Amino acid sequence: MDRYFKIVFLFFLVVSSVSIPLSAQQKNERPISLYPQNPHYFLYRDRAVALVGSGEHYGAVLNGDFDYHKYLATLTADGMNYTRLFGGSYVEVPAKSFGILRNDLAPAEGRFVAPWVRSETVGYAGGGNKFDLEKWNPEYFSRLHDFLGEAARRGIVVEITLFSSQYGEMQWNVSPFKRENNVNATAAIDWKKLNTLENGNILGYQERYARKLVREANAYPNVIFEIANEPWSDRPVLTDVVNPYLFTGRDQYPNSVDLPDGATMLWQARVTEWIASEEAGLANKHLIAQDCCNFRYAARDVLPGVSVVNFHYAYPEAATLNYGLGKALSYDETGFLGRDDESYARQAWNFMLSGGGVFDHLDYSFSVGHEDGTDLERNGPGGGSPGLRKRLRILSEFLQGLPLVEMGPDFSLVKHAGGVVTHTLSSGKGQYAMYVDGIGPAEMVLSLPAGEYELLWVDVGQGRRSAIEEFHHAGGDRVVKSPAFKSGIALKLRRR
């Protein structure tokens, strides 16, 4: 039986790899937007959706060896509806950057498919000829259109990240914008000035690139533009710490909350203007996302025109502290917690049940040759696996089964929950959804209005559901006891 399902799945992957143009109906779809009555979720294909993904390291288009057809088919089969994609202005070094051994964002020598053509001059630090920033690369844009079109047909939303911090000399040395890597005599700058307005003639090339990608992606309804990935990393401003009681490393990652400095923020504002002004004359208007910081922070510098506020390695407080912004809140990257699936699944449930609208895991089980997400050997600081994507599918289906338009964080339902941590969403019409994080069984005291109720428990690891328990409640406190569990459990409660 296992062999039969493997054959069927492989056939599905092959059939799914055939490229089919967007239909007229798909071309006329409205782009994904915030849901008007509840902008913490998205309006896509005429319904409210939350986005859940666990995807490759953002190089699906720029890495010429990566089979994105198989990758997108795998996301569909695993129930994921979101992925990130770096636009090509940033690239990493194979087997060196961040300790990632098989890194989709670090193509092999000569396999970096950039938005710009190669010149006839040898000498690109990453192998092959230098780039000509005045000329676009047809191969890159063919791959981009193919990727976005197939993702759209599958209902997968794609966040296109236009720029990224460089993090250090290693990545800057292979940047197409570095003077030594192109034939356009770009300014010889310190890499920490790249994403500022003080980068000389590079700013003009950044503008041409951003406008080109915005123009090329305009027809696709499944696109969100992110200004820049982790913009605080090159020019950080220490703003807070997660744990003030640490004796060592108090002001360093992973305890520091760093924000981009003023020069970076001015540059990000300019990029946002490029996106908006380019789309002003085009058919579609897409959402813009701003990457705020790691961990958690009550954002104060959300740029005009931004609709999605991104956090990396986020605590649930990133959602609760920013819920009042009236924007979608995104846990846009996680990882760096080893290879244990449970850690990332717990992060996802805690964030999304705190009011988040997006969860995206950086999944190291996707690599060249393993575009089906089965690379389970050690491959860097994080994890990822078919098992994790199964857990995330359970979360996604749990969320999509809620009346999302009516749901929001609820801090009054749980009066006490001994030994566990709870996060709850509720509607004004008697629908409740809760994630219980810890080890059970657990006993919780809930404050409920009078009525007739239906209650069921969901096993977050396997998706199994308990029998529905019905009860009458006269109002006030109600003690609820969960089944035994080891890695969290979810509760759905409905007043009839």
Side-chain angles (χ1 to χ4, degrees), residues 26 37 46 74 132 136 179 185 189 228 270 339 358 382 430 460:
Q26 288 166 330
Q37 288 76 38
D46 299 320
T74 301
D132 185 343
W136 302 119
R179 186 183 186 92
I189 62 168
R270 183 70 62 86
R339 298 169 60 191
V358 183
V460 298

Side-chain angles (χ1 to χ4, degrees), residues 222-290:
N222 57 323
V223 166
I224 297 171
F225 291 111
E226 182 183 46
I227 303 164
N229 175 69
E230 300 185 348
W232 58 87
S233 292
D234 288 357
R235 305 171 66 92
V237 176
L238 179 66
T239 305
D240 196 4
V241 294
V242 177
N243 182 353
Y245 294 98
L246 288 183
F247 293 109
T248 60
R250 179 180 181 273
D251 298 342
Q252 301 170 6
Y253 181 91
N255 198 53
S256 61
V257 178
D258 298 306
L259 298 182
D261 72 355
T264 306
M265 290 303 298
L266 288 173
W267 174 83
Q268 286 197 99
R270 183 70 62 86
V271 177
T272 307
E273 291 170 5
W274 296 337
I275 298 170
S277 65
E278 190 64 29
E279 285 201 326
L282 299 175
N284 291 320
K285 309 297 182 287
H286 291 91
L287 297 175
I288 299 175
Q290 177 185 338

Side-chain angles (χ1 to χ4, degrees), residues 52-102:
V52 178
S54 183
E56 60 88 27
H57 191 201
Y58 322 140
V61 168
L62 64 82
N63 190 325
D65 290 326
F66 191 81
D67 182 351
Y68 55 77
H69 295 293
K70 183 183 291 187
Y71 168 66
L72 292 171
T74 301
L75 292 188
T76 300
D78 290 348
M80 304 290 96
N81 64 356
Y82 182 77
T83 190
R84 292 182 82 198
L85 187 73
F86 275 24
S89 66
Y90 168 86
V91 69
E92 292 181 348
V93 179
K96 292 183 179 179
S97 295
F98 305 101
I100 305 170
L101 303 178
R102 297 173 297 284

